[in-house]
Amino acid sequence: MSRAVAEGQVPVYDVVGVGFGPSNLALAIALTEHNASGADTVTAHFLECQSGFGWHRGMLIDTATMQVSFLKDLVTMRNPASGFSFLSYLHARGRLVDFINHKNLFPLRVEFHDYFEWAAAKVDDLVSYGTEVLSVKPVLDGEQVAYFDVVARSGGDTVELRARNLVLGTGLRPNLPAGVTASERVWHNSGLLHRVEALRGTDPRRFVVVGAGQSAAEVAALLHDEFPRAEVCAVFSRYGYSPADDSSFANRIFDPEAVDRFYASSEPVKQRLMRYHGATNYSAVDLELIDELYRRVYREKVLGVERLRLFNVSRPAEVTDHGTHVRAVVESLDTAERTELDADAVVYATGYRPADPTPLLGELAAACLRDGDGRLRVERDYRITTGVTLRGGLYLQGGTEHTHGITSSLLSNTAVRVGEILASIVDRKAAAAGRSDYAVSATR
Ligand code: FDA
């Protein structure tokens, strides 16, 4: 239910951030640097449901590397002189010279996680962990939405924060194909490391891994390594694992300028660009890992013990958890031949989808405008377009691939994006201070 504004009753933050993954962490840093510069202070607080900072912990495989240059860290593209850069982190950890000698743009995933944790610790006062945002209520001043009351659960308590602007950075959710239900033996790869830990000492005999993207290839390699007596059956509809296109010209699709051009493009051009450049990110595997998997398959052929089996041009037609084992019926898409595989687990590495933040918005959700395909309309400054007048904004970090392009759910443009969001918040606040009749239409 909407509320009437009662000025002075509760402190009002300029920004409340929902979620504290890399996107909102980068925003917290941009705000901190803005406030330290002597500019008008922007007050902010972030709410994160995890008990501490955590970035895809289930996939922090020791050997996995980042798929983005370390120069696309939380800050460098916005402020190369920032003290929150990956280079500053390396310096603080005493590894700068070792990293330089490594001659490598792509740090280990565990190392980047440590970098994120290091940066998050430096802005610890801006975030409440263990706090899940449950809902948002509009606070009305006449016809306008003046503030947002953010309701969250922290332990057994309910907490409420009032905000002029909300920044929704709720990230990705594991995607299971329609009809698949997760169980003890049927998982999404997002929980991989915890599941593997639980299986240690149980001598599993077979895994089925569904998918042909980077995660699927990583899962197949890890299970093959960790359980030397187990068979790993990779099932995918492609002919083979295909490489991620990280060539220089294609890489420009991740540039800040590409966001401008994508945003301004017509819908057919947007779709065309996504078709051309999807292989920079989706269903694509690092070439080194493809070579490694191929080496294993070939070696096993020579030795006559095939433990890594590829079911290409195939799909899992039926997957049934029988409690003691899971039966996967794999169907060839070209011959229709069906193979029954009894396995200890079936792992779906079938991608992620952006979390839909609108259920959190309660009655405001109905005011969020959508395009003909039911997708949120989003302004260039990442504000959701609304049918009601908001004094502040509902900003999105993520879930904007259809409007802003492929970097939406990636790290590549994060530093620049948070700079743009902050500039929008600061400009609109200044405009509000200069105009007593301030009521900027949300659709402007
Ligand atoms: P992210 O999902 O990281 O964070 C969202 C946060 O919001 C979470 O901490 C969640 O707990 C919290 N949250 C959600 N709902 C909440 C609520 N109601 N209340 C409170 N908190 C809530 N990209 C890239 O560019 N290079 C790379 O190398 C990789 N590597 C990579 C590996 C793996 C295994 C995955 C799954 C993904 C990547 N990515 C990537 C893409 C990835 O989306 C990106 O790295 C960041 O996670 C995006 O950061 P966000 O903060 O937007 O979301």
Side-chain angles (χ1 to χ4, degrees), residues 13-21 23-28 31 42-49 126-129 131-136 148 150-152 159 161-171 357 360 393-397 421 425:
Y13 290 99
D14 290 317
V15 178
V16 166
V18 183
F20 202 63
S23 297
N24 271 344
L25 167 57
L27 179 61
L31 278 156
V42 176
T43 57
H45 201 74
F46 295 84
L47 304 173
E48 166 58 49
C49 59
L126 294 182
V127 55
S128 297
Y129 291 105
T131 306
E132 184 188 6
V133 174
L134 303 175
S135 63
V136 174
F148 308 103
V150 180
V151 182
V159 290
L161 269 64
R162 181 161 287 186
R164 291 193 178 85
N165 298 279
L166 271 192
V167 183
L168 303 161
T170 50
L360 291 178
L394 290 168
Y395 292 84
L396 284 181
Q397 293 227 62
I421 290 175
I425 289 168

Side-chain angles (χ1 to χ4, degrees), residues 204-232:
R205 291 308 167 97
R206 181 185 280 147
F207 295 98
V208 174
V209 181
V210 182
Q214 178 69 22
S215 293
E218 287 179 8
V219 172
L222 180 99
L223 294 174
H224 191 254
D225 280 337
E226 290 287 331
F227 301 104
R229 282 154 57 92
E231 189 178 284
V232 178

